[in-house]
Coordinates of all heavy atoms in Angstrom, one line a residue:
W136 N 0.9 -1.1 0.0 CA 0.0 0.0 0.0 C 0.9 1.2 -0.1 O 1.8 1.3 0.8 CB -1.0 -0.1 1.2 CG -1.4 1.2 1.7 CD1 -1.0 2.0 2.7 CD2 -2.6 1.9 1.2 NE1 -1.7 3.1 2.9 CE2 -2.8 3.0 2.0 CE3 -3.6 1.6 0.3 CZ2 -3.8 3.9 1.9 CZ3 -4.6 2.4 0.2 CH2 -4.7 3.6 0.9
S137 N 0.6 2.1 -0.8 CA 1.4 3.4 -0.9 C 0.5 4.5 -1.1 O -0.7 4.5 -1.6 CB 2.5 3.4 -2.1 OG 1.8 3.4 -3.4
D138 N 1.0 5.8 -0.9 CA 0.1 6.9 -1.1 C 0.2 7.4 -2.5 O -0.8 8.0 -3.0 CB 0.7 8.1 -0.2 CG 0.4 7.8 1.3 OD1 -0.7 7.2 1.6 OD2 1.1 8.3 2.2
V139 N 1.3 7.2 -3.2 CA 1.4 7.5 -4.6 C 2.0 6.4 -5.4 O 3.0 5.8 -5.0 CB 2.3 8.8 -4.7 CG1 2.5 9.1 -6.2 CG2 1.7 9.9 -3.9
D140 N 1.3 6.1 -6.5 CA 1.9 5.1 -7.5 C 2.3 5.9 -8.7 O 1.6 6.7 -9.2 CB 0.7 4.1 -7.9 CG 0.2 3.3 -6.7 OD1 1.0 2.7 -6.1 OD2 -1.0 3.2 -6.6
L141 N 3.5 5.6 -9.1 CA 4.1 6.2 -10.3 C 4.5 5.2 -11.3 O 5.3 4.3 -11.0 CB 5.4 7.0 -9.8 CG 6.1 7.8 -10.8 CD1 5.4 9.0 -11.3 CD2 7.5 8.2 -10.2
A142 N 3.9 5.3 -12.5 CA 4.2 4.4 -13.5 C 5.5 5.1 -14.3 O 5.4 6.2 -14.7 CB 3.1 4.2 -14.5
L143 N 6.5 4.3 -14.5 CA 7.7 4.8 -15.2 C 7.9 3.9 -16.4 O 8.0 2.7 -16.3 CB 8.9 4.6 -14.2 CG 10.0 5.5 -14.2 CD1 9.6 6.9 -14.0 CD2 11.0 5.1 -13.1
V144 N 7.9 4.6 -17.6 CA 8.0 3.8 -18.8 C 9.4 4.1 -19.4 O 9.6 5.4 -19.7 CB 6.9 4.1 -19.8 CG1 7.0 3.4 -21.1 CG2 5.5 3.9 -19.1
S145 N 10.2 3.2 -19.7 CA 11.5 3.5 -20.2 C 12.1 2.1 -20.9 O 11.8 1.1 -20.4 CB 12.5 3.9 -19.1 OG 13.8 4.0 -19.6
E146 N 12.9 2.5 -21.9 CA 13.6 1.3 -22.5 C 14.6 0.6 -21.7 O 15.2 -0.4 -22.1 CB 14.2 1.7 -23.9 CG 13.0 2.0 -24.9 CD 13.5 2.3 -26.2 OE1 14.7 2.3 -26.5 OE2 12.7 2.6 -27.1
I147 N 15.0 1.3 -20.5 CA 16.0 0.6 -19.6 C 15.4 -0.6 -18.9 O 16.1 -1.4 -18.4 CB 16.6 1.6 -18.6 CG1 15.5 2.0 -17.6 CG2 17.2 2.8 -19.2 CD1 16.1 2.6 -16.3
F148 N 14.1 -0.7 -18.9 CA 13.4 -1.8 -18.2 C 13.3 -3.0 -19.3 O 13.1 -2.8 -20.5 CB 12.0 -1.4 -17.7 CG 12.1 -0.3 -16.8 CD1 11.4 0.9 -16.9 CD2 13.0 -0.4 -15.7 CE1 11.5 1.9 -16.0 CE2 13.1 0.6 -14.7 CZ 12.3 1.7 -14.9
E149 N 13.4 -4.3 -18.7 CA 13.3 -5.4 -19.7 C 12.0 -6.1 -19.7 O 11.8 -7.0 -20.5 CB 14.4 -6.4 -19.2 CG 14.3 -6.8 -17.7 CD 15.4 -7.5 -17.2 OE1 16.6 -6.9 -17.1 OE2 15.3 -8.7 -16.9
G150 N 11.1 -5.6 -18.8 CA 9.7 -6.2 -18.8 C 9.6 -7.3 -17.7 O 8.5 -7.8 -17.6
N151 N 10.6 -7.5 -17.0 CA 10.6 -8.4 -15.8 C 10.5 -7.6 -14.6 O 11.3 -6.8 -14.2 CB 11.9 -9.3 -15.7 CG 11.8 -10.1 -14.5 OD1 11.7 -9.7 -13.4 ND2 12.1 -11.5 -14.7
R152 N 9.2 -7.5 -14.0 CA 8.9 -6.6 -12.9 C 9.9 -6.7 -11.7 O 10.3 -5.6 -11.3 CB 7.5 -6.9 -12.4 CG 6.9 -6.0 -11.4 CD 6.6 -4.6 -11.9 NE 5.8 -4.7 -13.1 CZ 4.7 -4.1 -13.5 NH1 4.2 -3.4 -12.6 NH2 4.2 -4.3 -14.6
I153 N 10.4 -7.8 -11.3 CA 11.3 -8.0 -10.3 C 12.6 -7.3 -10.6 O 13.2 -6.5 -9.9 CB 11.5 -9.4 -9.8 CG1 10.1 -10.0 -9.2 CG2 12.6 -9.6 -8.9 CD1 10.1 -11.5 -9.0
N154 N 13.3 -7.7 -11.8 CA 14.6 -7.1 -12.1 C 14.4 -5.6 -12.4 O 15.3 -4.9 -12.0 CB 15.0 -7.8 -13.4 CG 15.4 -9.2 -13.2 OD1 15.6 -9.7 -12.1 ND2 15.5 -10.0 -14.3
D155 N 13.3 -5.2 -13.0 CA 13.2 -3.8 -13.2 C 13.0 -3.0 -12.0 O 13.5 -1.9 -11.8 CB 11.9 -3.5 -14.1 CG 12.2 -4.0 -15.5 OD1 13.2 -4.2 -15.9 OD2 11.1 -4.3 -16.2
K156 N 12.4 -3.5 -11.0 CA 12.3 -2.7 -9.7 C 13.7 -2.7 -8.9 O 13.9 -1.8 -8.3 CB 11.3 -3.5 -8.7 CG 9.8 -3.1 -9.1 CD 8.8 -3.6 -8.1 CE 7.5 -2.9 -8.3 NZ 6.9 -2.4 -7.1
R157 N 14.4 -3.7 -9.2 CA 15.8 -3.7 -8.6 C 16.6 -2.6 -9.2 O 17.4 -1.9 -8.5 CB 16.5 -5.0 -8.9 CG 16.1 -6.1 -8.0 CD 17.1 -7.3 -8.2 NE 16.5 -8.5 -7.5 CZ 16.3 -9.7 -8.1 NH1 16.7 -9.8 -9.3 NH2 15.7 -10.6 -7.4
K158 N 16.4 -2.2 -10.4 CA 17.1 -1.2 -11.1 C 16.8 0.2 -10.5 O 17.7 1.1 -10.5 CB 16.8 -1.1 -12.6 CG 17.3 -2.3 -13.3 CD 16.9 -2.3 -14.8 CE 17.3 -3.5 -15.5 NZ 17.0 -3.5 -17.0
I159 N 15.7 0.4 -9.9 CA 15.3 1.7 -9.4 C 15.0 1.7 -7.8 O 14.8 2.8 -7.3 CB 14.0 2.2 -10.1 CG1 12.9 1.2 -9.9 CG2 14.3 2.5 -11.5 CD1 11.6 1.7 -10.5
R160 N 15.2 0.6 -7.2 CA 14.9 0.5 -5.8 C 15.6 1.6 -4.9 O 15.0 2.3 -4.1 CB 15.2 -0.8 -5.2 CG 14.9 -1.0 -3.8 CD 15.0 -2.5 -3.3 NE 14.0 -3.2 -3.9 CZ 14.2 -4.4 -4.5 NH1 15.4 -4.8 -4.6 NH2 13.3 -5.1 -5.1
A161 N 17.0 1.7 -5.1 CA 17.7 2.6 -4.2 C 17.2 4.1 -4.5 O 17.0 4.8 -3.5 CB 19.2 2.6 -4.6
I162 N 17.0 4.4 -5.7 CA 16.5 5.8 -6.0 C 15.1 6.0 -5.3 O 14.9 7.1 -4.6 CB 16.4 6.1 -7.5 CG1 17.9 6.0 -8.1 CG2 15.8 7.4 -7.8 CD1 18.0 5.9 -9.6
T163 N 14.2 5.1 -5.5 CA 12.8 5.3 -5.0 C 12.9 5.3 -3.4 O 12.1 6.1 -2.9 CB 11.8 4.3 -5.5 OG1 12.3 2.9 -5.1 CG2 11.7 4.3 -6.9
L164 N 13.7 4.6 -2.9 CA 13.7 4.6 -1.3 C 14.3 5.8 -0.8 O 14.0 6.3 0.2 CB 14.5 3.4 -0.8 CG 13.8 2.1 -1.0 CD1 14.8 0.9 -0.5 CD2 12.5 2.0 -0.2
M165 N 15.2 6.5 -1.6 CA 15.8 7.8 -1.2 C 14.8 8.9 -1.3 O 14.8 9.8 -0.5 CB 17.0 8.1 -2.1 CG 18.2 7.3 -1.8 SD 19.7 7.7 -2.7 CE 19.3 8.7 -4.0
V166 N 13.8 8.7 -2.2 CA 12.8 9.8 -2.5 C 11.7 9.7 -1.4 O 11.5 10.7 -0.6 CB 12.2 9.6 -3.8 CG1 11.0 10.7 -4.0 CG2 13.2 9.9 -4.9
S167 N 11.0 8.6 -1.3 CA 10.0 8.4 -0.3 C 9.6 6.9 -0.2 O 9.4 6.3 -1.2 CB 8.9 9.2 -0.6 OG 7.8 9.0 0.3
S168 N 9.4 6.5 1.0 CA 8.7 5.1 1.2 C 7.3 5.2 0.8 O 6.7 4.1 0.7 CB 8.9 4.6 2.5 OG 8.3 5.4 3.4
D169 N 6.7 6.3 0.6 CA 5.2 6.4 0.2 C 5.1 6.3 -1.3 O 4.0 6.3 -1.8 CB 4.6 7.7 0.7 CG 4.5 7.8 2.2 OD1 4.4 6.7 2.9 OD2 4.6 8.9 2.8
L170 N 6.1 6.2 -2.0 CA 6.1 6.2 -3.4 C 6.3 4.7 -3.9 O 7.2 4.1 -3.6 CB 7.3 7.0 -4.0 CG 7.3 7.2 -5.5 CD1 6.1 7.9 -6.0 CD2 8.6 8.0 -5.9
E171 N 5.3 4.3 -4.7 CA 5.4 3.0 -5.3 C 5.6 3.2 -6.8 O 4.8 3.7 -7.5 CB 4.1 2.2 -5.1 CG 4.1 0.9 -5.9 CD 5.0 -0.3 -5.2 OE1 5.3 -0.1 -4.0 OE2 5.3 -1.1 -5.9
V172 N 6.9 2.8 -7.3 CA 7.2 3.0 -8.7 C 6.9 1.7 -9.4 O 7.3 0.6 -9.0 CB 8.6 3.5 -8.9 CG1 9.0 3.5 -10.4 CG2 8.9 4.7 -8.1
L173 N 6.1 1.8 -10.6 CA 5.8 0.7 -11.4 C 6.5 0.8 -12.7 O 6.1 1.6 -13.5 CB 4.3 0.6 -11.5 CG 3.5 0.6 -10.3 CD1 2.0 0.8 -10.6 CD2 3.7 -0.7 -9.5
P174 N 7.6 0.0 -12.9 CA 8.4 0.2 -14.2 C 7.8 -0.6 -15.2 O 7.3 -1.7 -15.1 CB 9.8 -0.5 -13.8 CG 9.4 -1.4 -12.6 CD 8.2 -0.8 -11.9
F175 N 7.8 0.0 -16.5 CA 7.3 -0.6 -17.6 C 8.2 -0.5 -18.8 O 8.8 0.7 -19.0 CB 5.9 0.0 -18.1 CG 4.7 -0.4 -17.3 CD1 4.4 0.5 -16.2 CD2 4.0 -1.4 -17.6 CE1 3.3 0.3 -15.4 CE2 2.9 -1.6 -16.7 CZ 2.5 -0.8 -15.7
H176 N 8.4 -1.4 -19.6 CA 9.2 -1.3 -20.8 C 8.1 -0.7 -21.9 O 6.9 -1.1 -21.7 CB 9.7 -2.6 -21.3 CG 10.5 -2.4 -22.6 ND1 9.9 -2.4 -23.9 CD2 11.9 -2.3 -22.8 CE1 10.9 -2.3 -24.8 NE2 12.0 -2.2 -24.2
P177 N 8.4 0.1 -22.8 CA 7.4 0.6 -23.7 C 6.6 -0.4 -24.4 O 5.4 -0.1 -24.6 CB 8.2 1.5 -24.8 CG 9.5 1.9 -24.0 CD 9.7 0.7 -23.0
N178 N 7.1 -1.5 -24.7 CA 6.4 -2.7 -25.4 C 5.3 -3.2 -24.5 O 4.4 -3.8 -25.1 CB 7.4 -3.7 -25.8 CG 8.3 -3.2 -27.0 OD1 8.0 -2.3 -27.7 ND2 9.4 -4.0 -27.2
D179 N 5.5 -3.0 -23.2 CA 4.5 -3.6 -22.2 C 3.5 -2.6 -21.8 O 2.5 -2.9 -21.1 CB 5.3 -4.1 -21.0 CG 6.2 -5.3 -21.3 OD1 5.8 -6.1 -22.3 OD2 7.3 -5.3 -20.7
F180 N 3.7 -1.3 -22.1 CA 2.8 -0.3 -21.7 C 1.8 0.0 -22.7 O 1.8 1.0 -23.5 CB 3.6 1.0 -21.3 CG 2.9 2.1 -20.5 CD1 2.5 1.7 -19.2 CD2 2.5 3.2 -21.0 CE1 1.8 2.6 -18.4 CE2 1.8 4.2 -20.3 CZ 1.5 3.8 -19.0
T181 N 0.9 -1.0 -22.9 CA -0.2 -0.9 -24.0 C -1.6 -1.2 -23.3 O -1.6 -1.6 -22.1 CB 0.1 -2.0 -25.0 OG1 -0.1 -3.3 -24.4 CG2 1.5 -1.9 -25.6
L182 N -2.5 -0.9 -24.1 CA -3.9 -1.2 -23.7 C -4.1 -2.7 -23.4 O -5.2 -3.1 -22.8 CB -4.9 -0.6 -24.5 CG -4.9 0.9 -24.6 CD1 -5.9 1.4 -25.7 CD2 -5.2 1.5 -23.3
D183 N -3.4 -3.5 -24.0 CA -3.5 -5.0 -23.8 C -3.1 -5.4 -22.3 O -3.5 -6.5 -21.9 CB -2.7 -5.8 -24.8 CG -3.1 -5.5 -26.2 OD1 -4.4 -5.3 -26.4 OD2 -2.3 -5.6 -27.2
N184 N -2.3 -4.7 -21.7 CA -1.8 -4.9 -20.4 C -2.9 -4.3 -19.4 O -3.1 -3.1 -19.4 CB -0.4 -4.2 -20.1 CG 0.0 -4.4 -18.8 OD1 -0.6 -4.4 -17.8 ND2 1.4 -4.7 -18.7
P185 N -3.5 -5.2 -18.5 CA -4.5 -4.6 -17.6 C -4.1 -3.5 -16.7 O -4.9 -2.5 -16.5 CB -5.0 -5.9 -16.9 CG -4.6 -7.1 -17.6 CD -3.3 -6.5 -18.4
L186 N -2.9 -3.6 -16.2 CA -2.5 -2.4 -15.3 C -2.2 -1.2 -16.1 O -2.5 -0.1 -15.8 CB -1.2 -2.9 -14.5 CG -0.6 -1.9 -13.6 CD1 -1.7 -1.4 -12.6 CD2 0.6 -2.5 -12.8
A187 N -1.5 -1.4 -17.3 CA -1.3 -0.2 -18.1 C -2.6 0.4 -18.5 O -2.8 1.7 -18.6 CB -0.5 -0.6 -19.3
R188 N -3.6 -0.4 -18.8 CA -4.9 0.1 -19.3 C -5.5 0.9 -18.1 O -6.1 2.0 -18.4 CB -5.8 -1.0 -19.6 CG -7.3 -0.6 -20.0 CD -8.2 -1.7 -20.2 NE -8.0 -2.4 -21.5 CZ -8.4 -2.0 -22.7 NH1 -9.1 -0.9 -22.7 NH2 -8.1 -2.6 -23.7
E189 N -5.4 0.5 -16.9 CA -5.9 1.2 -15.7 C -5.2 2.6 -15.7 O -5.9 3.6 -15.4 CB -5.8 0.5 -14.5 CG -6.2 1.3 -13.2 CD -6.0 0.6 -12.0 OE1 -5.6 -0.7 -11.9 OE2 -6.2 1.2 -10.9
I190 N -3.9 2.6 -15.9 CA -3.2 3.8 -15.9 C -3.7 4.8 -17.0 O -3.8 6.0 -16.8 CB -1.7 3.6 -16.0 CG1 -1.3 2.9 -14.7 CG2 -0.9 4.9 -16.2 CD1 0.2 2.1 -14.8
F191 N -3.8 4.2 -18.2 CA -4.3 5.1 -19.3 C -5.6 5.7 -19.0 O -5.9 6.8 -19.3 CB -4.4 4.3 -20.6 CG -3.1 4.1 -21.3 CD1 -2.5 2.8 -21.3 CD2 -2.6 5.1 -22.1 CE1 -1.3 2.6 -22.0 CE2 -1.4 4.8 -22.8 CZ -0.8 3.6 -22.7
E192 N -6.5 4.9 -18.4 CA -7.8 5.3 -18.1 C -8.0 6.2 -16.9 O -8.8 7.1 -16.9 CB -8.8 4.1 -18.0 CG -8.9 3.4 -19.2 CD -9.8 2.1 -19.1 OE1 -10.1 1.7 -17.9 OE2 -10.0 1.4 -20.1
T193 N -7.2 6.1 -15.9 CA -7.4 6.8 -14.6 C -6.2 7.7 -14.2 O -6.2 8.4 -13.3 CB -7.7 5.9 -13.5 OG1 -6.6 5.0 -13.2 CG2 -8.9 5.1 -13.8
G194 N -5.0 7.5 -14.9 CA -3.9 8.2 -14.5 C -3.9 9.7 -14.8 O -4.6 10.2 -15.7
I195 N -3.0 10.3 -14.1 CA -2.7 11.8 -14.3 C -1.4 11.9 -15.0 O -0.4 11.4 -14.3 CB -2.8 12.6 -13.0 CG1 -4.1 12.5 -12.4 CG2 -2.4 14.1 -13.3 CD1 -4.2 12.9 -10.9
W196 N -1.2 12.4 -16.2 CA 0.1 12.4 -16.8 C 0.9 13.6 -16.4 O 0.4 14.7 -16.3 CB -0.2 12.5 -18.4 CG -0.7 11.2 -18.9 CD1 -2.1 10.8 -18.9 CD2 0.0 10.0 -19.3 NE1 -2.1 9.5 -19.3 CE2 -0.9 9.1 -19.6 CE3 1.3 9.8 -19.6 CZ2 -0.5 7.8 -20.1 CZ3 1.7 8.6 -20.0 CH2 0.8 7.5 -20.3
V197 N 2.1 13.3 -15.9 CA 2.9 14.3 -15.4 C 4.1 14.8 -16.2 O 4.8 15.6 -15.8 CB 3.4 13.9 -13.9 CG1 2.3 13.6 -13.0 CG2 4.3 12.6 -14.0
M198 N 4.3 14.2 -17.3 CA 5.3 14.7 -18.2 C 4.8 15.7 -19.2 O 4.0 15.4 -20.0 CB 6.0 13.5 -19.0 CG 6.9 12.6 -18.1 SD 8.3 13.4 -17.5 CE 9.2 13.6 -19.1
K199 N 5.1 17.0 -19.1 CA 4.6 18.0 -20.0 C 4.9 17.7 -21.4 O 6.1 17.4 -21.7 CB 5.2 19.4 -19.5 CG 4.6 20.5 -20.3 CD 5.1 21.8 -19.8 CE 4.5 22.9 -20.7 NZ 5.0 24.2 -20.2
G200 N 4.0 17.8 -22.3 CA 4.3 17.7 -23.7 C 4.2 16.3 -24.2 O 4.4 15.9 -25.4
K201 N 3.8 15.3 -23.3 CA 3.8 14.0 -23.7 C 2.3 13.5 -23.8 O 1.5 13.8 -23.0 CB 4.5 13.0 -22.6 CG 6.0 13.3 -22.5 CD 6.7 13.1 -23.9 CE 8.2 13.3 -23.7 NZ 8.8 13.2 -25.0
E202 N 2.1 12.7 -24.7 CA 0.7 12.2 -24.9 C 0.6 10.7 -24.5 O 1.5 9.9 -24.6 CB 0.3 12.2 -26.4 CG 0.3 13.5 -27.0 CD -0.9 14.4 -26.5 OE1 -1.9 13.8 -26.2 OE2 -0.7 15.6 -26.4
P203 N -0.4 10.3 -23.8 CA -0.7 8.9 -23.4 C -0.6 8.1 -24.6 O -1.2 8.4 -25.6 CB -2.1 8.9 -22.8 CG -2.3 10.4 -22.3 CD -1.7 11.2 -23.4
G204 N 0.1 6.9 -24.5 CA 0.2 5.9 -25.6 C 1.4 6.1 -26.4 O 1.6 5.3 -27.3
I205 N 2.1 7.2 -26.3 CA 3.3 7.4 -27.1 C 4.5 7.1 -26.2 O 4.7 7.9 -25.3 CB 3.4 8.9 -27.7 CG1 2.1 9.1 -28.5 CG2 4.7 9.1 -28.5 CD1 2.0 10.6 -29.0
C206 N 5.1 6.0 -26.4 CA 6.2 5.6 -25.4 C 7.5 5.5 -26.1 O 8.2 4.6 -26.0 CB 5.9 4.2 -24.9 SG 4.3 4.3 -23.8
N207 N 7.9 6.6 -26.9 CA 9.2 6.6 -27.5 C 10.3 7.3 -26.6 O 11.5 7.2 -27.0 CB 9.1 7.2 -28.9 CG 8.6 8.7 -28.8 OD1 8.3 9.1 -27.7 ND2 8.4 9.3 -29.9
D208 N 9.9 7.9 -25.6 CA 10.9 8.6 -24.7 C 10.9 8.0 -23.3 O 11.1 6.8 -23.1 CB 10.8 10.1 -24.6 CG 11.4 10.7 -25.9 OD1 12.4 10.3 -26.3 OD2 10.7 11.6 -26.4
F209 N 10.4 8.8 -22.3 CA 10.3 8.5 -21.0 C 9.1 9.1 -20.4 O 8.9 10.4 -20.5 CB 11.5 9.1 -20.3 CG 11.6 8.9 -18.8 CD1 12.0 7.7 -18.3 CD2 11.3 9.9 -18.0 CE1 12.1 7.5 -16.9 CE2 11.3 9.8 -16.6 CZ 11.7 8.5 -16.1
H210 N 8.1 8.4 -19.9 CA 6.8 8.9 -19.5 C 6.6 8.5 -18.0 O 7.1 7.5 -17.5 CB 5.7 8.3 -20.3 CG 5.8 8.6 -21.7 ND1 5.2 9.6 -22.4 CD2 6.5 8.0 -22.7 CE1 5.4 9.7 -23.7 NE2 6.2 8.6 -23.9
C211 N 5.8 9.4 -17.3 CA 5.5 9.0 -15.9 C 3.9 9.3 -15.9 O 3.4 10.2 -16.5 CB 6.1 10.0 -15.0 SG 7.9 9.8 -14.9
S212 N 3.3 8.5 -15.1 CA 1.9 8.7 -14.8 C 1.6 8.4 -13.4 O 2.1 7.4 -12.9 CB 1.1 7.7 -15.6 OG -0.3 8.0 -15.4
I213 N 0.9 9.3 -12.7 CA 0.5 9.0 -11.3 C -1.0 8.6 -11.4 O -1.8 9.2 -12.1 CB 0.6 10.3 -10.5 CG1 2.1 10.7 -10.4 CG2 0.1 10.0 -9.1 CD1 2.3 11.9 -9.6
F214 N -1.3 7.6 -10.6 CA -2.7 7.2 -10.6 C -3.0 6.7 -9.1 O -2.1 6.4 -8.3 CB -3.1 6.1 -11.5 CG -2.3 4.7 -11.3 CD1 -3.0 3.7 -10.6 CD2 -1.0 4.6 -11.7 CE1 -2.4 2.5 -10.5 CE2 -0.4 3.3 -11.5 CZ -1.0 2.3 -10.9
T215 N -4.3 6.7 -8.8 CA -4.6 6.4 -7.4 C -5.4 5.1 -7.5 O -6.0 4.7 -8.4 CB -5.5 7.4 -6.8 OG1 -6.6 7.7 -7.6 CG2 -4.7 8.7 -6.5

């Protein structure tokens, strides 16, 4: 349970949730224990993925100038 969920979409992630969380664990713990970061590779951040679909439908996009569904750079979305 966290106060804020943050979806992070980047090509640095491989699509394995455990390995991907290891890549960012130290940084997220330094920021806040109330932050739950959900890493996604762009290929996995699609409407076919149930969690990604929820983010598309209910998330608040926090990267200025980025459109939902365009995953060619680095995107973040906060959802509750």
